[in-house]
Amino acid sequence: MARSPITCHVLDSSLGKPAEGIHISLQHLAPEGESFTPLATGVTNADGRCLDLLPPRNGNLTAGTYKIMFKTKEYFVNTDRKCFYPWVEITFDIENPAEHYHIPLLISPYSYTTYRGS
């Protein structure tokens, strides 16, 4: 199955379940290094995944710095909880655009953790 070259997965560690309905924005750092340009938006599915941010084998993906913004406050409000972090931004470098980049996020109302997935 073809997939986006950049994917993500959000798990709500306080509930031990996938985080469905989190709005995501993917951005790329401009060459001058001063601002980010929006590339794509998405929403996590019932499994907490967003697998379709970019078309498979997107020829526009280049080496450089990217970030994904997860709008966590909306998710916690929708699940009747308060949170400390209204959004989480994960900034990462892509060295080889031919590789797949998976960005997992573990969230709870007062903490988050991330790592490079596979």
Side-chain angles (χ1 to χ4, degrees), residues 46-109:
D47 194 34
R49 297 177 186 274
C50 189
L51 304 174
D52 58 358
L53 280 171
L54 297 171
R57 295 183 187 81
N58 185 342
N60 295 331
L61 192 63
T62 59
T65 301
Y66 291 77
K67 74 175 172 180
I68 294 183
M69 179 191 298
F70 299 86
K71 295 184 178 177
T72 53
K73 184 174 183 173
E74 294 172 5
Y75 166 77
F76 285 112
V77 167
N78 289 337
T79 58
D80 251 355
R81 296 179 285 165
K82 294 181 180 180
C83 72
F84 185 68
Y85 300 103
W87 65 81
V88 174
E89 290 183 351
I90 301 172
T91 305
F92 56 99
D93 285 329
I94 289 182
E95 293 181 9
N96 181 354
E99 289 183 9
H100 175 252
Y101 292 83
H102 185 65
I103 314 297
L105 175 64
L106 305 174
I107 59 170
S108 74

